[in-house]
Amino acid sequence: MEFRPRNYTTEREAHALPRVRAEHHPFSAPSSPLHQVDVVDHGNGDFFDPLRGSSDNATVSRDDFEDHENTSSEASTQLPTKEWISFKRFLMQRFPVSKMIEISSISNVIMKGAKAYEKSSTSTHLEELEDPEKYAEEGVKFITRQEYVSRLHELKDEINRAWRANDRVTSLKLSIKVARLLMDTSILQFYPTLFVLAMDIMDMLGDMVWERIKCKAEFSEDGTRLCSLPENFQASDICSDAKETCNNWFCKIGSIRELLPRIYLELAILPCWRFLVDKPEDSVQRLVMMTRGLADPLASAYCSLYMAHCAQKLPSRDIGYLVKCVNDIKILVMRIVSSKEATQGNFTNNKRLLVSLMEPTIEYLMKCIFKDSSQMQVGNVLVELGLGMNQVELFGSFPCVSIVLHHLLNELLAEVVTSNAVQILYTIECSNDYSFDQCLNYRLLGFRLSERKLQTDIVHAVVDKVIQVVSEKNSLGEYLKVVDAFVDIVLQNQMDNHLNTILGGISKRAYNKGVTEDELANLQSILVKLLTHFKGLEDVFSLNHFLEILDIMYGSSRSIVNMHILNMAIRNGYISDPTAIQLLFEVSQALHDDVDLVNMKDDDNQPARLISRFVHMVDYGTEMERHLTFLVECRGAFGSLNELKETLVHSSNCLAIKTLKDAKKHLSFVKSCIAFSEVTLPSISARVKQLYLYLETAEVALLCGLVSHSDGLIDSAMNCLQSLDLVDGSRTSTDVEGILSAIQKLCSLLVMVPGNPEQGVTYFPNNILSLVSSRSWMTPRMRTRIFCTILTLTATLSQNKLPYHADHGEILGNDLLFFGDSSYLHELVSLAEFVLQNLVDTIQQETSRAARGSMALEACNCIASSFMLSNEISQVCSKLIETAKLCLSASDKYLQSTITHLDINLPTLVVSPSITV
């Protein structure tokens, strides 16, 4: 068996593509602008291009317009329903309820079938001390929250069953009982949940009544269709029988003795007024007046909330009643916050809770008022709300209840906010009561002003006033809430003096008292905005008090800021400034200490990636000893990060190559770099990556002339391969491909490594073969590719001139070391014969026919390229071709090209034509 001689230089020239000098560089700017192509429209009206401008002659058909209008109408009716469902969910989540609910005399309907509980004497006594009047009456009973909710669901089912049984009187009576539950506000925290559950029942009753009356209007008693009511029907379209039924329902509801259930039941069937009158919105104004008779502020507020929901179902959009509701709630809130206890600074928890429970009503009313409102309508609303004399004079010295003002600002058009920014600022200053934190109104104003570009004079007037106001705040929390909202405005308008004032104020307030958990979020937001605004890290670090504030932070907020700092540092190229490197090293240390990076999943381990990337981007220039010292410090500080250790080895290798290019006198430093990598490599837990880095370091050592180091590293790589334990079930295609690629890389490296006469030139290939035969997880497909790689290696080493050498003058390749040595060539041939026999046997072990055929062709191409024609080679190739023909289609392109290749390289090889597929 004889190896095929190769002339790599000639082959490279023969296979190289011809090169022709280009007239222009492909990345250079074009000499003349591109001509725009005019598209000729041949009058094809069937196709509409949305990217082209509309033609002057283009017309829209009436059908298309009506379809669009109907679609918009359907969407508009569905939108309030979706908003309401979302709002109810938010309402129940915002006010969680305790496990036990007190049952008053009003809630006796809930006790049917439910078990009452007595609270422990200790808990009852404590609550009695907080509110003695509440426990003045004896016989207070309790029920679990789940039983209360279940009982309401049962009532809903009973109402539904009674309705289907045509027992509508029972349905109405049970609905009244449910509405009466809303008269009980003794358990404040539970009221929103009770409201949501009761409103589901009210809505269900309203829908059933609507459908019944509509059915009477459209069908006669015998089921004959009288008409089909359009969506915008008038009262005159309704027959007398349907009107009589509708009127009967309103009369029954009007006879309810209690005011609150009477209002709720009429609101439930409010859309039914459309069957009687053409202007059902007039009834809403009457119901608003009726709610003023409710003595309980919480019950009154939630009744207004349900009114706003029900009125959305009416065709006309009138917001006058909503403004009246807001004004009424303002009066109720003012009574609470201006009570004797509040004015004396003793605003009790119950009253604070009461205001917070009323807040969702205010929020929802404001959303309904300002939805789809024009700027002129907004002006009229503000005047009606008492926030202006006319359309021109708005805000300013007109005070407002803080909680109402907050949700008003949240819903106002951005144009209105920006045009009245200074006046709104003075309104906030005038509106300082216990209903809402005034700082949150300043904060909201800042965020709203950030939505639009402001005039310079308005910006300076607003920011000057805000800085003046917050400077008087001694609390760090209040200070941060406000300045966080205005930092963007300050940065965008380059107000450096105010920025220094803000940072100084934070440092002064935080230095002595520290930072609480609640304050960290705002502090984090401010620092992240600074890091996002400035382009260079040096600009941020040069800010007064920035580093002081950073040192005060801790926990996850500090980690997030540190991650932004590292991200900002690595995105601007290599880091060369020693001061910046030291500072970023400390930032990385703090991030490493604050976050559990070891137990974090690789996909989520962004901090580890940022630290590794920072280490990779450090460049000390010519101070290479300092760079290696830095790598040693990083290994000590971040030794638990696998990804970082990989980066350290790679950086050390790059440093060795950089030193090698600089001068030969630094050989001792190169040895230090290789030694650093040798010490670091064993601690890398990812075996495949460790294997690659061993090979990379071995190649670097070889290029630097350190043959003994290179041999030792290749030995370590072989040991790493031996320790790989891929058990069935945990093996992935990535692992398999990675191992195969590493073995192929090792064989490529062995072409340059001088052979050791004592161990033999085939020492390392024999070790690879030993690995292949001893590992059960090696599949026939893997073994075949490894055998082909070793065959190619032996054929390459047999050449009189190797295709490449180590780029080091003192290292001789095997083509020079063993030139003319017959024992060297005999050792390679013996290895090739052994591999060849194992290769053929391994291919036959593959169970998949298609894979076996492809493996046979791959092996056949490898053999034909590596050996000269002989009887042994002819027999092997013929057998492999027969195997491929049995497994693959005769038209397979890989099979056909392989046969053509054999005709060129082994021209006398006879492939039996009798083999058919």
mmCIF file with all atom_site columns, all heavy atoms in Angstrom, residues 629-645:
data_model
loop_
_atom_site.group_PDB
_atom_site.id
_atom_site.type_symbol
_atom_site.label_atom_id
_atom_site.label_alt_id
_atom_site.label_comp_id
_atom_site.label_asym_id
_atom_site.label_entity_id
_atom_site.label_seq_id
_atom_site.pdbx_PDB_ins_code
_atom_site.Cartn_x
_atom_site.Cartn_y
_atom_site.Cartn_z
_atom_site.occupancy
_atom_site.B_iso_or_equiv
_atom_site.pdbx_formal_charge
_atom_site.auth_seq_id
_atom_site.auth_comp_id
_atom_site.auth_asym_id
_atom_site.auth_atom_id
_atom_site.pdbx_PDB_model_num
ATOM 1   N N   . THR A 1 629 ? -0.936  40.532 34.639 1.00 0.00 ? 629 THR A N   1
ATOM 2   C CA  . THR A 1 629 ? -1.272  40.690 36.059 1.00 0.00 ? 629 THR A CA  1
ATOM 3   C C   . THR A 1 629 ? -2.764  40.919 36.240 1.00 0.00 ? 629 THR A C   1
ATOM 4   O O   . THR A 1 629 ? -3.384  40.384 37.170 1.00 0.00 ? 629 THR A O   1
ATOM 5   C CB  . THR A 1 629 ? -0.491  41.875 36.653 1.00 0.00 ? 629 THR A CB  1
ATOM 6   O OG1 . THR A 1 629 ? 0.914   41.669 36.447 1.00 0.00 ? 629 THR A OG1 1
ATOM 7   C CG2 . THR A 1 629 ? -0.776  42.031 38.137 1.00 0.00 ? 629 THR A CG2 1
ATOM 8   N N   . PHE A 1 630 ? -3.341  41.693 35.338 1.00 0.00 ? 630 PHE A N   1
ATOM 9   C CA  . PHE A 1 630 ? -4.793  41.932 35.384 1.00 0.00 ? 630 PHE A CA  1
ATOM 10  C C   . PHE A 1 630 ? -5.564  40.625 35.206 1.00 0.00 ? 630 PHE A C   1
ATOM 11  O O   . PHE A 1 630 ? -6.548  40.371 35.911 1.00 0.00 ? 630 PHE A O   1
ATOM 12  C CB  . PHE A 1 630 ? -5.173  42.934 34.290 1.00 0.00 ? 630 PHE A CB  1
ATOM 13  C CG  . PHE A 1 630 ? -6.650  43.077 34.064 1.00 0.00 ? 630 PHE A CG  1
ATOM 14  C CD1 . PHE A 1 630 ? -7.442  43.783 34.953 1.00 0.00 ? 630 PHE A CD1 1
ATOM 15  C CD2 . PHE A 1 630 ? -7.261  42.485 32.959 1.00 0.00 ? 630 PHE A CD2 1
ATOM 16  C CE1 . PHE A 1 630 ? -8.806  43.910 34.745 1.00 0.00 ? 630 PHE A CE1 1
ATOM 17  C CE2 . PHE A 1 630 ? -8.614  42.607 32.741 1.00 0.00 ? 630 PHE A CE2 1
ATOM 18  C CZ  . PHE A 1 630 ? -9.390  43.322 33.641 1.00 0.00 ? 630 PHE A CZ  1
ATOM 19  N N   . LEU A 1 631 ? -5.102  39.784 34.285 1.00 0.00 ? 631 LEU A N   1
ATOM 20  C CA  . LEU A 1 631 ? -5.770  38.496 34.083 1.00 0.00 ? 631 LEU A CA  1
ATOM 21  C C   . LEU A 1 631 ? -5.668  37.620 35.329 1.00 0.00 ? 631 LEU A C   1
ATOM 22  O O   . LEU A 1 631 ? -6.624  36.913 35.687 1.00 0.00 ? 631 LEU A O   1
ATOM 23  C CB  . LEU A 1 631 ? -5.164  37.769 32.877 1.00 0.00 ? 631 LEU A CB  1
ATOM 24  C CG  . LEU A 1 631 ? -5.327  38.456 31.506 1.00 0.00 ? 631 LEU A CG  1
ATOM 25  C CD1 . LEU A 1 631 ? -4.680  37.613 30.419 1.00 0.00 ? 631 LEU A CD1 1
ATOM 26  C CD2 . LEU A 1 631 ? -6.795  38.700 31.180 1.00 0.00 ? 631 LEU A CD2 1
ATOM 27  N N   . VAL A 1 632 ? -4.513  37.667 35.997 1.00 0.00 ? 632 VAL A N   1
ATOM 28  C CA  . VAL A 1 632 ? -4.347  36.899 37.232 1.00 0.00 ? 632 VAL A CA  1
ATOM 29  C C   . VAL A 1 632 ? -5.314  37.402 38.299 1.00 0.00 ? 632 VAL A C   1
ATOM 30  O O   . VAL A 1 632 ? -5.935  36.617 39.035 1.00 0.00 ? 632 VAL A O   1
ATOM 31  C CB  . VAL A 1 632 ? -2.891  36.982 37.725 1.00 0.00 ? 632 VAL A CB  1
ATOM 32  C CG1 . VAL A 1 632 ? -2.742  36.325 39.095 1.00 0.00 ? 632 VAL A CG1 1
ATOM 33  C CG2 . VAL A 1 632 ? -1.947  36.329 36.723 1.00 0.00 ? 632 VAL A CG2 1
ATOM 34  N N   . GLU A 1 633 ? -5.466  38.730 38.397 1.00 0.00 ? 633 GLU A N   1
ATOM 35  C CA  . GLU A 1 633 ? -6.400  39.311 39.371 1.00 0.00 ? 633 GLU A CA  1
ATOM 36  C C   . GLU A 1 633 ? -7.842  38.897 39.063 1.00 0.00 ? 633 GLU A C   1
ATOM 37  O O   . GLU A 1 633 ? -8.624  38.601 39.975 1.00 0.00 ? 633 GLU A O   1
ATOM 38  C CB  . GLU A 1 633 ? -6.273  40.834 39.361 1.00 0.00 ? 633 GLU A CB  1
ATOM 39  C CG  . GLU A 1 633 ? -4.948  41.346 39.903 1.00 0.00 ? 633 GLU A CG  1
ATOM 40  C CD  . GLU A 1 633 ? -4.793  42.850 39.714 1.00 0.00 ? 633 GLU A CD  1
ATOM 41  O OE1 . GLU A 1 633 ? -5.689  43.460 39.065 1.00 0.00 ? 633 GLU A OE1 1
ATOM 42  O OE2 . GLU A 1 633 ? -3.791  43.415 40.187 1.00 0.00 ? 633 GLU A OE2 1
ATOM 43  N N   . CYS A 1 634 ? -8.176  38.865 37.794 1.00 0.00 ? 634 CYS A N   1
ATOM 44  C CA  . CYS A 1 634 ? -9.533  38.458 37.400 1.00 0.00 ? 634 CYS A CA  1
ATOM 45  C C   . CYS A 1 634 ? -9.789  36.999 37.749 1.00 0.00 ? 634 CYS A C   1
ATOM 46  O O   . CYS A 1 634 ? -10.884 36.644 38.187 1.00 0.00 ? 634 CYS A O   1
ATOM 47  C CB  . CYS A 1 634 ? -9.733  38.687 35.902 1.00 0.00 ? 634 CYS A CB  1
ATOM 48  S SG  . CYS A 1 634 ? -9.841  40.422 35.430 1.00 0.00 ? 634 CYS A SG  1
ATOM 49  N N   . ARG A 1 635 ? -8.786  36.158 37.557 1.00 0.00 ? 635 ARG A N   1
ATOM 50  C CA  . ARG A 1 635 ? -8.956  34.747 37.909 1.00 0.00 ? 635 ARG A CA  1
ATOM 51  C C   . ARG A 1 635 ? -9.197  34.577 39.399 1.00 0.00 ? 635 ARG A C   1
ATOM 52  O O   . ARG A 1 635 ? -9.995  33.744 39.829 1.00 0.00 ? 635 ARG A O   1
ATOM 53  C CB  . ARG A 1 635 ? -7.734  33.951 37.468 1.00 0.00 ? 635 ARG A CB  1
ATOM 54  C CG  . ARG A 1 635 ? -7.877  32.455 37.668 1.00 0.00 ? 635 ARG A CG  1
ATOM 55  C CD  . ARG A 1 635 ? -6.680  31.710 37.113 1.00 0.00 ? 635 ARG A CD  1
ATOM 56  N NE  . ARG A 1 635 ? -5.441  32.076 37.799 1.00 0.00 ? 635 ARG A NE  1
ATOM 57  C CZ  . ARG A 1 635 ? -4.224  31.699 37.422 1.00 0.00 ? 635 ARG A CZ  1
ATOM 58  N NH1 . ARG A 1 635 ? -4.089  30.946 36.343 1.00 0.00 ? 635 ARG A NH1 1
ATOM 59  N NH2 . ARG A 1 635 ? -3.158  32.079 38.074 1.00 0.00 ? 635 ARG A NH2 1
ATOM 60  N N   . GLY A 1 636 ? -8.525  35.390 40.188 1.00 0.00 ? 636 GLY A N   1
ATOM 61  C CA  . GLY A 1 636 ? -8.733  35.315 41.628 1.00 0.00 ? 636 GLY A CA  1
ATOM 62  C C   . GLY A 1 636 ? -10.068 35.871 42.072 1.00 0.00 ? 636 GLY A C   1
ATOM 63  O O   . GLY A 1 636 ? -10.704 35.352 42.995 1.00 0.00 ? 636 GLY A O   1
ATOM 64  N N   . ALA A 1 637 ? -10.523 36.928 41.375 1.00 0.00 ? 637 ALA A N   1
ATOM 65  C CA  . ALA A 1 637 ? -11.775 37.594 41.786 1.00 0.00 ? 637 ALA A CA  1
ATOM 66  C C   . ALA A 1 637 ? -13.010 36.892 41.251 1.00 0.00 ? 637 ALA A C   1
ATOM 67  O O   . ALA A 1 637 ? -14.055 36.870 41.912 1.00 0.00 ? 637 ALA A O   1
ATOM 68  C CB  . ALA A 1 637 ? -11.759 39.044 41.315 1.00 0.00 ? 637 ALA A CB  1
ATOM 69  N N   . PHE A 1 638 ? -12.902 36.319 40.047 1.00 0.00 ? 638 PHE A N   1
ATOM 70  C CA  . PHE A 1 638 ? -14.086 35.735 39.407 1.00 0.00 ? 638 PHE A CA  1
ATOM 71  C C   . PHE A 1 638 ? -13.866 34.260 39.065 1.00 0.00 ? 638 PHE A C   1
ATOM 72  O O   . PHE A 1 638 ? -14.284 33.788 38.008 1.00 0.00 ? 638 PHE A O   1
ATOM 73  C CB  . PHE A 1 638 ? -14.431 36.502 38.124 1.00 0.00 ? 638 PHE A CB  1
ATOM 74  C CG  . PHE A 1 638 ? -14.382 37.996 38.266 1.00 0.00 ? 638 PHE A CG  1
ATOM 75  C CD1 . PHE A 1 638 ? -13.444 38.746 37.575 1.00 0.00 ? 638 PHE A CD1 1
ATOM 76  C CD2 . PHE A 1 638 ? -15.253 38.651 39.108 1.00 0.00 ? 638 PHE A CD2 1
ATOM 77  C CE1 . PHE A 1 638 ? -13.394 40.116 37.710 1.00 0.00 ? 638 PHE A CE1 1
ATOM 78  C CE2 . PHE A 1 638 ? -15.218 40.031 39.248 1.00 0.00 ? 638 PHE A CE2 1
ATOM 79  C CZ  . PHE A 1 638 ? -14.276 40.768 38.553 1.00 0.00 ? 638 PHE A CZ  1
ATOM 80  N N   . GLY A 1 639 ? -13.184 33.558 39.937 1.00 0.00 ? 639 GLY A N   1
ATOM 81  C CA  . GLY A 1 639 ? -12.807 32.177 39.652 1.00 0.00 ? 639 GLY A CA  1
ATOM 82  C C   . GLY A 1 639 ? -13.971 31.225 39.492 1.00 0.00 ? 639 GLY A C   1
ATOM 83  O O   . GLY A 1 639 ? -13.809 30.128 38.965 1.00 0.00 ? 639 GLY A O   1
ATOM 84  N N   . SER A 1 640 ? -15.158 31.625 39.951 1.00 0.00 ? 640 SER A N   1
ATOM 85  C CA  . SER A 1 640 ? -16.309 30.727 39.865 1.00 0.00 ? 640 SER A CA  1
ATOM 86  C C   . SER A 1 640 ? -17.030 30.801 38.522 1.00 0.00 ? 640 SER A C   1
ATOM 87  O O   . SER A 1 640 ? -17.935 30.005 38.266 1.00 0.00 ? 640 SER A O   1
ATOM 88  C CB  . SER A 1 640 ? -17.304 31.052 40.987 1.00 0.00 ? 640 SER A CB  1
ATOM 89  O OG  . SER A 1 640 ? -17.771 32.390 40.865 1.00 0.00 ? 640 SER A OG  1
ATOM 90  N N   . LEU A 1 641 ? -16.654 31.734 37.669 1.00 0.00 ? 641 LEU A N   1
ATOM 91  C CA  . LEU A 1 641 ? -17.349 31.923 36.391 1.00 0.00 ? 641 LEU A CA  1
ATOM 92  C C   . LEU A 1 641 ? -16.650 31.135 35.289 1.00 0.00 ? 641 LEU A C   1
ATOM 93  O O   . LEU A 1 641 ? -15.525 31.456 34.896 1.00 0.00 ? 641 LEU A O   1
ATOM 94  C CB  . LEU A 1 641 ? -17.395 33.411 36.018 1.00 0.00 ? 641 LEU A CB  1
ATOM 95  C CG  . LEU A 1 641 ? -18.047 34.352 37.033 1.00 0.00 ? 641 LEU A CG  1
ATOM 96  C CD1 . LEU A 1 641 ? -18.042 35.768 36.492 1.00 0.00 ? 641 LEU A CD1 1
ATOM 97  C CD2 . LEU A 1 641 ? -19.467 33.903 37.341 1.00 0.00 ? 641 LEU A CD2 1
ATOM 98  N N   . ASN A 1 642 ? -17.302 30.099 34.784 1.00 0.00 ? 642 ASN A N   1
ATOM 99  C CA  . ASN A 1 642 ? -16.706 29.275 33.729 1.00 0.00 ? 642 ASN A CA  1
ATOM 100 C C   . ASN A 1 642 ? -16.465 30.070 32.458 1.00 0.00 ? 642 ASN A C   1
ATOM 101 O O   . ASN A 1 642 ? -15.428 29.942 31.811 1.00 0.00 ? 642 ASN A O   1
ATOM 102 C CB  . ASN A 1 642 ? -17.608 28.073 33.428 1.00 0.00 ? 642 ASN A CB  1
ATOM 103 C CG  . ASN A 1 642 ? -17.391 26.936 34.412 1.00 0.00 ? 642 ASN A CG  1
ATOM 104 O OD1 . ASN A 1 642 ? -16.261 26.574 34.704 1.00 0.00 ? 642 ASN A OD1 1
ATOM 105 N ND2 . ASN A 1 642 ? -18.469 26.399 34.940 1.00 0.00 ? 642 ASN A ND2 1
ATOM 106 N N   . GLU A 1 643 ? -17.460 30.870 32.096 1.00 0.00 ? 643 GLU A N   1
ATOM 107 C CA  . GLU A 1 643 ? -17.332 31.655 30.866 1.00 0.00 ? 643 GLU A CA  1
ATOM 108 C C   . GLU A 1 643 ? -16.145 32.607 30.944 1.00 0.00 ? 643 GLU A C   1
ATOM 109 O O   . GLU A 1 643 ? -15.432 32.811 29.960 1.00 0.00 ? 643 GLU A O   1
ATOM 110 C CB  . GLU A 1 643 ? -18.626 32.438 30.618 1.00 0.00 ? 643 GLU A CB  1
ATOM 111 C CG  . GLU A 1 643 ? -18.635 33.196 29.302 1.00 0.00 ? 643 GLU A CG  1
ATOM 112 C CD  . GLU A 1 643 ? -19.962 33.873 29.025 1.00 0.00 ? 643 GLU A CD  1
ATOM 113 O OE1 . GLU A 1 643 ? -20.938 33.569 29.751 1.00 0.00 ? 643 GLU A OE1 1
ATOM 114 O OE2 . GLU A 1 643 ? -20.034 34.681 28.094 1.00 0.00 ? 643 GLU A OE2 1
ATOM 115 N N   . LEU A 1 644 ? -15.916 33.166 32.135 1.00 0.00 ? 644 LEU A N   1
ATOM 116 C CA  . LEU A 1 644 ? -14.797 34.085 32.296 1.00 0.00 ? 644 LEU A CA  1
ATOM 117 C C   . LEU A 1 644 ? -13.465 33.343 32.186 1.00 0.00 ? 644 LEU A C   1
ATOM 118 O O   . LEU A 1 644 ? -12.511 33.856 31.584 1.00 0.00 ? 644 LEU A O   1
ATOM 119 C CB  . LEU A 1 644 ? -14.892 34.795 33.645 1.00 0.00 ? 644 LEU A CB  1
ATOM 120 C CG  . LEU A 1 644 ? -13.717 35.729 33.926 1.00 0.00 ? 644 LEU A CG  1
ATOM 121 C CD1 . LEU A 1 644 ? -13.787 36.945 33.016 1.00 0.00 ? 644 LEU A CD1 1
ATOM 122 C CD2 . LEU A 1 644 ? -13.680 36.170 35.364 1.00 0.00 ? 644 LEU A CD2 1
ATOM 123 N N   . LYS A 1 645 ? -13.372 32.145 32.748 1.00 0.00 ? 645 LYS A N   1
ATOM 124 C CA  . LYS A 1 645 ? -12.120 31.391 32.665 1.00 0.00 ? 645 LYS A CA  1
ATOM 125 C C   . LYS A 1 645 ? -11.779 31.074 31.221 1.00 0.00 ? 645 LYS A C   1
ATOM 126 O O   . LYS A 1 645 ? -10.602 31.071 30.836 1.00 0.00 ? 645 LYS A O   1
ATOM 127 C CB  . LYS A 1 645 ? -12.234 30.119 33.503 1.00 0.00 ? 645 LYS A CB  1
ATOM 128 C CG  . LYS A 1 645 ? -12.160 30.394 35.012 1.00 0.00 ? 645 LYS A CG  1
ATOM 129 C CD  . LYS A 1 645 ? -12.180 29.126 35.835 1.00 0.00 ? 645 LYS A CD  1
ATOM 130 C CE  . LYS A 1 645 ? -13.562 28.579 35.994 1.00 0.00 ? 645 LYS A CE  1
ATOM 131 N NZ  . LYS A 1 645 ? -13.647 27.490 36.991 1.00 0.00 ? 645 LYS A NZ  1
#
